[in-house]
């Protein structure tokens, strides 16, 4: 059976099919059909059911694209995220006309931008969990984000904080993380304490530079509107009228997290993010999961759990995380 599907937007065709139609083999493997490009159209060849599933899929992609406020930043990740939502529980593809294509999840689109960078680029959440995280940052006093690398935990926290500073909801931004080495020793790094700690805060600086630029970041650091320090520097303080971000919280002990959480002051927001699979402390010393359990069901505090589907870095990152998860049981076996 042969059918044709024509994309109304050439830009969407290029996003779906890739440069030089490089994504077509991927679609053919997923949909079990033959795809022949013709301008902005695709000739779909296969059995009646297979062709119908392919047509439904491309219709759903185009429908989602039309509704999105972030068309200028639409990428293959967004298509991949959408299409993965219509898979059935067995990992295959839904049958033509099935209710799987009518689920709310697969037609998710971001409601509103989080922040507009100094270059005029709007930042939108890329997944439903990311949107839930941003909503929680505004709604709750404290939000904890748990999930693998590349899910946007740090960047979304900083973008939200920059927006709240811009609107006057908070007066300053305080960013901290534990200075725990991943296999190296701080003592072997050159310089004073600040110079030793700075490499561990590099991801925070990178996010700030992308959101508000190097000059504004430097200015805010100089006048104290932005403060970046290791978590040990938080002891004894009360942090009011602030957006407080703790990154890499999986490398904090339970006493450190208790100390940090009790720094919370009036008119403040707090974001804590971590990945329980990337702990650099000795076994059993991390306090993040214990903290999440302790604070469960407490009003004003919410935990958002990110998954592999929320990884917005290069697609290979999602594959790496999945492969490590699949082999985790092998590594944990005792000799």
């Amino acid at each position: 059976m042969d059918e044709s599907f024509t994309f109304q937007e050439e830009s969407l065709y290029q996003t779906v099919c890739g440069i030089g139609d490089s994504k077509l083999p991927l679609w053919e493997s997923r949909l079990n059909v033959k795809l022949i490009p013709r301008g902005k159209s695709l000739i779909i060849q296969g059995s009646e059911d297979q062709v119908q599933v392919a047509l439904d899929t491309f219709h759903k992609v185009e429908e989602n694209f039309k509704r999105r406020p972030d068309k200028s930043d639409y990428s293959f990740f967004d298509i991949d995220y959408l299409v993965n939502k219509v898979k059935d529980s067995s990992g295959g593809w839904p049958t033509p006309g099935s209710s799987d294509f009518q689920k709310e999840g697969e037609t998710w689109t971001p409601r509103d931008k989080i922040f507009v960078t100094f270059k005029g680029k709007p930042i939108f959440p890329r997944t439903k969990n990311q949107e839930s995280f941003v909503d929680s940052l505004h709604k709750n006093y404290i939000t904890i984000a748990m999930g693998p690398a590349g899910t946007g935990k740090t960047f979304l926290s900083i973008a939200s904080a920059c927006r709240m500073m811009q609107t006057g909801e908070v007066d300053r931004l305080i960013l901290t993380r534990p200075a725990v080495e991943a296999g190296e020793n701080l003592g072997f790094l050159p310089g004073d304490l600040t110079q030793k700690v700075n490499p561990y805060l590099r991801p925070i600086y990178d996010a700030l530079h992308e959101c508000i630029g190097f000059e504004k970041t430097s200015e805010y650091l100089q006048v104290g509107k932005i403060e970046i320090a290791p978590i040990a520097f938080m002891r004894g303080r009360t942090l009011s009228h602030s957006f407080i971000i703790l990154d890499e919280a999986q490398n904090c002990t339970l006493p450190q997290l208790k100390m940090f959480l009790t720094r919370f002051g009036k008119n403040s927001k707090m974001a804590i993010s971590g990945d329980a699979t990337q702990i650099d402390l000795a076994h059993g010393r991390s306090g993040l999961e214990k903290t999440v359990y302790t604070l469960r069901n407490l009003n004003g505090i919410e935990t958002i759990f990110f998954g592999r589907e929320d990884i917005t870095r290069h697609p290979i990152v999602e594959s790496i995380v999945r492969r490590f998860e699949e082999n985790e049981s092998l590594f944990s076996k005792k000799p």
Side-chain angles (χ1 to χ4, degrees):
M1 178 182 177
D2 289 14
E3 288 285 352
S4 175
F5 182 86
T6 302
F7 292 91
Q8 295 182 23
E9 297 274 352
E10 186 172 350
S11 62
L12 179 59
Y13 172 88
Q14 292 173 350
T15 304
V16 171
C17 299
I19 298 172
D21 298 319
S22 59
K23 299 290 187 185
L24 289 188
L26 174 63
W27 285 112
E28 289 177 334
S29 173
R30 283 181 164 185
L31 299 169
N32 200 22
V33 294
K34 174 70 175 174
L35 299 174
I36 303 170
R38 292 286 187 271
K40 292 193 302 180
S41 301
L42 289 173
I43 307 298
I44 306 170
Q45 297 178 341
S47 70
E48 184 177 352
D49 282 356
Q50 291 165 344
V51 169
Q52 189 59 53
V53 167
L55 287 170
D56 286 348
T57 300
F58 292 135
H59 274 298
K60 195 60 75 173
V61 168
E62 188 163 65
E63 173 192 300
N64 180 261
F65 178 76
K66 289 177 182 177
R67 294 172 50 214
R68 295 184 75 101
D70 58 340
K71 289 184 179 64
S72 61
D73 202 33
Y74 199 67
S75 69
F76 195 80
F77 168 83
D78 301 296
I79 297 170
D80 211 36
Y81 178 75
L82 166 72
V83 170
N84 282 333
K85 291 291 184 179
V86 301
K87 288 185 178 181
D88 63 21
S89 57
S90 66
W93 291 89
T95 54
S98 73
S99 60
D100 286 325
F101 277 95
Q102 307 304 320
K103 283 193 252 181
E104 180 185 352
E106 102 278 4
T107 58
W108 174 85
T109 60
R111 293 193 307 270
D112 193 17
K113 58 182 174 288
I114 304 167
F115 184 69
V116 178
T117 71
F118 75 107
K119 291 183 177 179
K121 179 185 176 183
I123 298 172
F124 288 89
R126 305 293 299 279
T127 71
K128 197 170 184 177
N129 280 336
Q130 287 192 354
E131 187 169 71
S132 297
F133 177 55
V134 173
D135 288 346
S136 179
L137 290 173
H138 286 268
K139 180 178 65 176
N140 294 294
Y141 298 121
I142 299 171
T143 301
I144 303 173
M146 296 274 286
T151 50
K153 302 182 296 295
T154 302
F155 184 76
L156 292 172
S157 299
I158 289 176
S160 298
C162 288
R163 179 177 179 174
M164 290 187 193
M165 276 205 302
Q166 193 178 69
T167 58
E169 294 173 69
V170 297
D171 295 335
R172 58 179 175 161
L173 171 57
I174 298 174
L175 306 113
T176 184
R177 63 187 284 170
V180 175
E181 55 271 27
E184 294 86 14
N185 192 306
L186 278 171
F188 289 100
L189 293 174
D192 58 22
L193 177 62
T194 301
Q195 292 170 319
K196 287 175 184 289
V197 167
N198 268 350
Y200 297 93
L201 304 174
R202 193 72 254 167
I204 290 174
Y205 282 107
D206 290 343
L208 282 169
H209 292 164
E210 185 169 345
C211 287
I212 59 176
F214 178 81
E215 291 182 0
K216 186 64 74 174
T217 300
S218 300
E219 177 190 332
Y220 282 177
L221 283 166
Q222 197 168 21
V223 300
K225 280 182 72 72
I226 295 178
E227 179 183 344
I228 304 177
I231 192 170
F233 286 31
M234 298 296 110
R235 188 174 297 278
R237 303 179 61 186
T238 299
L239 306 173
S240 302
H241 308 286
S242 305
F243 195 112
I244 312 140
I245 297 175
L246 171 59
D247 196 27
E248 299 290 341
Q250 76 275 2
N251 287 327
C252 291
T253 63
L254 191 59
Q256 281 179 318
L257 284 166
K258 180 182 176 183
M259 177 274 292
F260 177 75
L261 285 160
T262 53
R263 301 307 93 203
F264 194 87
K266 294 180 180 178
N267 301 319
S268 288
K269 297 283 186 178
M270 186 177 282
I272 299 173
S273 61
D275 176 5
T277 68
Q278 295 194 32
I279 297 172
D280 299 313
L281 296 174
H283 178 71
R285 291 195 65 214
S286 174
L288 181 58
E289 290 180 304
K290 299 167 190 172
T291 298
V292 169
Y293 179 80
T294 301
L295 301 180
R296 69 195 187 284
N297 302 324
L298 197 59
N299 286 337
I301 301 178
E302 185 176 0
T303 300
I304 305 295
F305 294 94
F306 290 92
R308 292 196 308 264
E309 70 277 9
D310 299 299
I311 295 176
T312 56
R313 291 180 185 166
H314 193 283
I316 193 64
V317 176
E318 191 272 340
S319 300
I320 291 169
V321 171
R322 183 176 64 249
R323 187 59 62 87
F324 270 100
E325 287 180 354
E326 291 170 352
N327 289 276
E328 187 175 3
S329 60
L330 297 176
F331 303 143
S332 61
K333 286 181 180 178
K334 293 182 179 180

